[in-house]
């Protein structure tokens, strides 16, 4: 069109009229309809297409997460009905409408392992060099190249000590019920120990244990003054050489026949041990130890927050996050686990 106008002007085919008029609506329509499209040279366009295609192939070829891991994260997100930024914001602001015990356990499953974070960071560095090498402020453009599941991991990773935060929040949710359960278990075990100790000192249990010691000394031709409690578990394993039976059967037969008059009240002495019998002592001991360690961890978190709040090196954003965190423990966690 420029060439056509130029030729007309040089040859003087016509003169431009000063009375020519056109309303704005028609003018816009005219210019938009006949606006020439600026074309990219074929060679440049082809190179761009090849570069973009190569980049997409490289991106698809680099699998940061396994298909199974990505599927698991996707299921958790759909179950919660929230996207990555929403979940991360709930963790930063301690939004307890979102951070239920169930959801916290789900978030814990989505936290990246050290290997996954290393893979994501390496892939981001490669893409930065190849696609954004001449750009300084790319923001979250790079992150948008990843699938939503990887984006979710990065969002969580950006939260300081996210795994410890999730663990502590779960702990405050469960502390009340756990403490009540363990306290009851300890009371039952303590009561059972008192019953057994009293029966072994003053009741028929002591006589039966004395008979066990006598049988053991007879078999071993020894004169031991006592035996370990764990030995009682082995009585059924000592088999008779004639007929069927074990040393435990002999002791029970002796107690119910020959020594029956003196051991007749044995059952009454140990009444009420059924509940205590179902408690695994070593398991309960380990759980109480874990409870104590979590309490210590929580105490350390609160002390760290208090220390950062008075430090001039702490950014305003970190102080706001710590403020949400501290408000939660002082208000929500106070009733369940105190300080």
């Amino acid at each position: 069109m420029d060439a056509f106008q130029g030729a007309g002007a040089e040859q003087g085919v016509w003169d431009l009229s000063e009375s020519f008029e056109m309303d704005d609506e028609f003018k816009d329509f005219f210019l938009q309809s006949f606006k020439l499209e600026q074309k990219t040279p074929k060679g440049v366009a082809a190179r761009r297409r090849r570069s973009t295609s190569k980049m997409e192939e490289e991106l698809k070829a680099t699998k940061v997460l396994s298909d199974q891991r990505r599927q698991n994260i996707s299921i958790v997100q759909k179950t919660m009905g929230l996207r990555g930024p929403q979940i991360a914001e709930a963790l930063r602001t301690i939004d307890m409408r979102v951070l239920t015990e169930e959801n916290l356990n789900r978030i814990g499953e989505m936290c990246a392992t050290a290997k996954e974070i290393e893979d994501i960071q390496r892939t981001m560095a490669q893409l930065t060099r190849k696609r954004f090498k001449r750009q300084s402020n790319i923001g979250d453009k790079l992150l948008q190249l990843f699938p939503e599941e990887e984006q979710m991991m990065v969002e969580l990773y950006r939260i300081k000590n996210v795994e410890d935060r999730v663990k502590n929040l779960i702990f405050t949710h469960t502390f009340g019920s756990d403490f009540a359960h363990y306290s009851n278990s300890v009371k039952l075990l303590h009561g059972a120990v008192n019953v057994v100790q009293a029966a072994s000192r003053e009741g028929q249990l002591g006589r039966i244990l004395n008979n066990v010691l006598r049988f053991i000394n007879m078999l071993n031709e020894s004169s031991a003054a006592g035996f370990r409690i764990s030995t009682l578990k082995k009585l059924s394993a000592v088999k008779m050489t004639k007929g069927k039976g074990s040393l435990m059967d002999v002791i029970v037969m002796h107690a119910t026949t020959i020594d029956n008059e003196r051991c007749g009240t044995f059952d009454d002495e140990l009444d009420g041990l059924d509940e205590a019998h179902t408690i695994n002592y070593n398991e309960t001991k380990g759980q109480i130890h874990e409870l104590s360690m979590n309490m210590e961890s929580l105490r350390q978190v609160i002390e760290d927050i208090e220390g950062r709040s008075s430090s001039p090196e702490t950014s305003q954003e970190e102080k706001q996050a710590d403020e949400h965190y501290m408000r939660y423990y002082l208000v929500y966690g106070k009733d369940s686990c105190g300080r």
Side-chain angles (χ1 to χ4, degrees):
M1 184 176 290
D2 292 338
F4 180 76
Q5 289 175 343
E10 291 175 0
Q11 297 174 10
V13 176
W14 65 80
D15 294 329
L16 295 178
S17 173
E18 296 181 357
S19 62
F20 178 79
E21 295 181 359
M22 181 187 298
D23 60 24
D24 291 338
E25 183 178 357
F26 187 84
K27 182 178 180 181
D28 291 339
F29 171 77
F30 180 85
L31 292 176
Q32 290 297 326
S33 299
F34 292 91
K35 187 176 182 180
L36 293 178
E37 180 182 357
Q38 295 194 1
K39 298 182 178 180
T40 305
K42 293 183 178 180
V44 175
R47 286 196 296 273
R48 287 179 180 176
R49 285 196 298 271
R50 286 197 298 270
S51 176
T52 303
S53 177
K54 184 179 179 182
M55 174 60 65
E56 291 175 351
E57 289 177 1
E58 290 177 352
L59 183 59
K60 292 178 182 178
T62 306
K63 285 191 175 182
V64 182
L65 299 179
S66 66
D67 292 338
Q68 183 62 53
R69 177 73 160 136
R70 188 176 291 109
Q71 182 181 14
N72 292 340
I73 294 176
S74 178
I75 291 173
V76 170
Q77 285 186 286
K78 289 179 180 178
T79 303
M80 294 179 63
L82 298 171
R83 300 179 68 84
Q86 295 172 310
I87 296 174
E89 183 63 19
L91 273 175
R92 290 190 185 95
T93 60
I94 315 297
D95 187 349
M96 299 314 299
R97 294 170 299 178
V98 175
L99 302 180
T100 62
E101 181 183 348
E102 191 175 11
N103 281 344
L104 283 168
N105 283 306
R106 291 168 177 158
I107 294 172
E109 295 174 1
M110 291 191 291
C111 289
T113 64
K115 179 65 167 58
E116 289 170 339
I117 287 298
E118 182 182 347
D119 292 342
I120 290 175
Q121 289 177 335
R122 183 173 60 252
T123 305
M124 292 177 74
Q126 293 172 351
L127 292 175
T128 301
R129 290 194 301 268
K130 293 177 181 179
R131 191 157 186 172
F132 299 101
K133 58 183 178 181
R134 296 182 180 178
Q135 299 182 35
S136 57
N137 299 318
I138 61 176
D140 285 337
K141 293 179 182 179
L142 181 61
L143 187 59
Q144 300 302 320
L145 296 176
F146 287 90
E148 188 174 356
E149 292 77 18
E150 277 84 345
Q151 294 182 36
M152 174 74 247
M153 279 194 169
V154 174
E155 290 284 357
L156 292 179
Y157 178 72
R158 287 173 173 174
I159 301 174
K160 188 176 182 180
N161 300 325
V162 62
E163 291 183 342
D164 290 338
R165 175 169 293 205
V166 171
K167 181 180 178 182
N168 287 331
L169 290 172
I170 293 175
F171 171 67
T172 56
H173 269 289
T174 61
F175 179 84
S177 58
D178 286 347
F179 183 79
H181 172 70
Y182 299 144
S183 296
N184 184 58
S185 297
V186 170
K187 289 179 182 177
L188 288 173
L189 288 173
H190 188 264
V193 169
N194 290 337
V195 169
V196 172
Q197 285 181 337
S200 61
R201 287 194 305 263
E202 306 167 0
Q204 302 307 317
L205 176 61
R207 182 173 182 81
I208 293 176
L209 294 177
N210 185 62
N211 290 342
V212 172
L213 177 61
R214 290 178 182 275
F215 279 112
I216 292 175
N217 282 334
M218 286 173 60
L219 291 174
N220 295 331
E221 296 181 357
S222 61
S223 56
F227 60 88
R228 296 179 181 275
I229 294 298
S230 58
T231 303
L232 295 174
K233 296 181 178 180
K234 303 176 182 178
L235 297 180
S236 298
V238 181
K239 303 299 181 181
M240 298 173 63
T241 56
K242 294 183 180 181
K244 296 181 179 180
S246 65
L247 182 54
M248 176 65 79
D249 296 325
V250 174
I251 293 171
V252 172
M253 182 175 64
H254 182 273
T256 56
T257 56
I258 300 174
D259 211 16
N260 185 40
E261 294 183 2
R262 297 181 179 179
C263 300
T265 59
F266 172 70
D267 291 342
D268 296 335
E269 289 181 358
L270 302 180
D271 185 40
L273 299 184
D274 293 342
E275 285 189 86
H277 175 70
T278 62
I279 299 173
N280 187 310
Y281 171 77
N282 290 328
E283 182 180 330
T284 301
K285 181 180 178 181
Q287 291 169 337
I288 292 175
H289 176 71
E290 184 179 356
L291 198 69
S292 176
M293 295 295 291
N294 287 335
M295 285 290 293
E296 177 62 24
S297 174
L298 186 57
R299 184 187 66 80
Q300 187 63 48
V301 167
I302 294 176
E303 287 185 357
D304 291 344
I305 290 176
E306 291 175 337
R308 286 198 301 270
S309 64
S310 59
S311 173
E313 298 179 358
T314 306
S315 67
Q316 190 63 31
E317 183 179 355
E318 289 177 324
K319 288 183 178 181
Q320 290 177 351
D322 286 343
E323 183 180 347
H324 288 297
Y325 210 21
M326 182 65 83
R327 187 184 303 119
Y328 165 76
Y329 285 119
L330 293 179
V331 177
Y332 183 87
K334 184 177 180 181
D335 295 334
S336 59
C337 63
R339 175 165 178 183

